[in-house]
Amino acid sequence: MIDYLSKYGYTPKIEEIDSAIAKISQNVSNFMTGQVLKQCFSMLDLTTLKSDDTPTSVTAFVEKVNSFAKDYPDWPLPASVCVYSNFASVVDKVRKNDFHITVVSACFPSSQSFLDVKLLECQRAVETGADEVDIVLALNAFLDGNCEGAAEEIRAIRKCIDEAAAKQGRTVHLKVILETGLLVSPENIANASFLAMEAGADFIKTSTGKVSVNATPVAAFVMCQCIAAYYAKTGKKVGFKPAGGISTAEDAVCYYLIVSNILGEEWLNRDLFRFGVSRVANSILSAAEQKTVKYF
């Protein structure tokens, strides 16, 4: 495995990370303000990734987002709606407001297939309307010590979606999901973070939400420290997206504070920070409105 930690001068220090997270957790209640909650809401990739999703159910989901600006005029829209690749055209047809179409692609969530199959899925997703493509790091290569194989797959997908988008006169973002719950160690998470950023990721993302351990504050902390180290060495800003298991407004604010503490104000916007969520939107609305809201 390539020694990315030496290359970027970064070593995860778990005791320091645990101490910092404990301090952040103790401070979450002080940041449960309307301003912060609305900012978190504006960075949501509002997600439906159910096995029983249909064109009808996805249309209804998008119509909810379309209606949100009218029903909650003082709130920002979420950053995007996230669906399976085959529903990009459904969202594109129904979308009425200024939010992106995010798709999970390249044989999500396992990434276990042939590269040409993954490339075709990503290409078709962009051709049918996707603004952002979320793929999973090829763990079958990475966990076998084949970093170059994992990186080459990201580079190939990057090239594929860029070419498909260029034909339409636009650009598309690539988010790479590390599946940190399966990487387990902070060192593996750090190596995967640097690999994905070097290979062309616009964002690195914690999890699919489809395994037993998804986003955790420790994984988020390590990934954000890697983003900071990568930026210091290259001058390139890469975004961060925690996803999976984020169910409460307090969870969202905790990740918000991790990003704020490590990466600073420059990252606290939808261009560089997203949440992958299917449940937390209502919790954020409820916390800010100080009443139970079940909108989504």
Side-chain angles (χ1 to χ4, degrees):
M1 182 175 287
I2 298 170
D3 186 5
Y4 291 102
L5 304 190
S6 295
K7 182 175 181 178
Y8 288 94
Y10 171 72
T11 302
K13 298 177 180 178
I14 195 63
E15 289 185 5
E16 292 180 10
I17 291 170
D18 286 342
S19 176
I21 290 171
K23 291 177 182 177
I24 287 171
S25 297
Q26 292 166 6
N27 209 23
V28 164
S29 61
N30 295 325
F31 286 85
M32 294 288 290
T33 65
Q35 180 183 349
V36 169
L37 291 167
K38 287 180 179 180
Q39 198 170 0
C40 288
F41 192 90
S42 75
M43 299 183 287
L44 298 183
D45 286 347
L46 202 60
T47 301
T48 179
L49 297 175
K50 301 191 293 289
S51 296
D52 60 352
D53 282 340
T54 65
T56 300
S57 69
V58 171
T59 295
F61 187 72
V62 177
E63 290 288 17
K64 275 282 189 183
V65 183
N66 286 337
S67 299
F68 185 76
K70 174 174 63 69
D71 295 334
Y72 286 87
D74 295 331
W75 280 73
L77 286 170
S80 81
V81 166
C82 179
V83 295
Y84 285 111
S85 292
N86 52 304
F87 292 119
S89 60
V90 176
V91 183
D92 192 37
K93 182 179 179 180
V94 180
R95 172 177 55 173
K96 295 177 183 176
N97 293 309
D98 183 24
F99 55 85
H100 281 186
I101 301 169
T102 298
V103 298
V104 292
S105 200
C107 302
F108 175 95
S110 67
S111 193
Q112 296 283 15
S113 191
F114 304 100
L115 179 56
D116 56 352
V117 173
K118 298 178 186 180
L119 292 173
L120 180 58
E121 185 184 356
C122 291
Q123 176 189 326
R124 293 289 294 125
V126 173
E127 289 173 345
T128 55
D131 301 301
E132 305 178 3
V133 178
D134 291 16
I135 66 168
V136 181
L137 174 70
L139 294 179
N140 52 15
F142 182 83
L143 293 177
D144 226 22
N146 182 10
C147 286
E148 180 53 33
E152 179 53 37
E153 183 166 299
I154 296 170
R155 289 193 289 266
I157 292 172
R158 170 89 268 173
K159 181 173 183 287
C160 171
I161 65 171
D162 285 348
E163 289 177 350
K167 290 178 181 178
Q168 299 176 328
R170 61 195 186 94
T171 57
V172 172
H173 286 146
L174 177 64
K175 305 193 199 86
V176 178
I177 305 164
L178 307 184
E179 202 67 289
T180 53
L182 300 182
L183 296 179
V184 182
S185 74
E187 290 76 16
N188 267 352
I189 292 169
N191 274 307
S193 297
F194 289 124
L195 181 154
M197 289 188 286
E198 278 196 357
D202 295 305
F203 276 73
I204 52 174
K205 175 178 171 182
T206 60
S207 321
T208 61
K210 303 295 185 182
V211 297
S212 59
V213 178
N214 291 288
T216 66
V218 170
F221 210 96
V222 171
M223 290 170 69
C224 287
Q225 287 184 322
C226 290
I227 289 169
Y230 186 75
Y231 175 60
K233 191 172 183 68
T234 68
K236 181 182 177 182
K237 292 179 178 178
V238 174
F240 171 62
K241 179 177 174 179
I246 303 171
S247 59
T248 69
E250 289 81 3
D251 291 338
V253 172
C254 179
Y255 288 108
Y256 174 96
L257 291 175
I258 288 171
V259 171
S260 178
N261 275 266
I262 299 172
L263 297 170
E265 292 285 331
E266 293 177 72
W267 261 261
L268 296 177
N269 60 76
R270 64 177 63 189
D271 292 332
L272 290 168
F273 184 24
R274 298 288 182 84
F275 297 94
V277 298
S278 57
R279 293 178 291 170
V280 80
N282 287 334
S283 180
I284 291 174
L285 284 167
S286 297
E289 297 289 326
Q290 298 187 337
K291 63 182 180 180
T292 301
V293 177
K294 295 181 180 179
Y295 192 90
F296 294 103

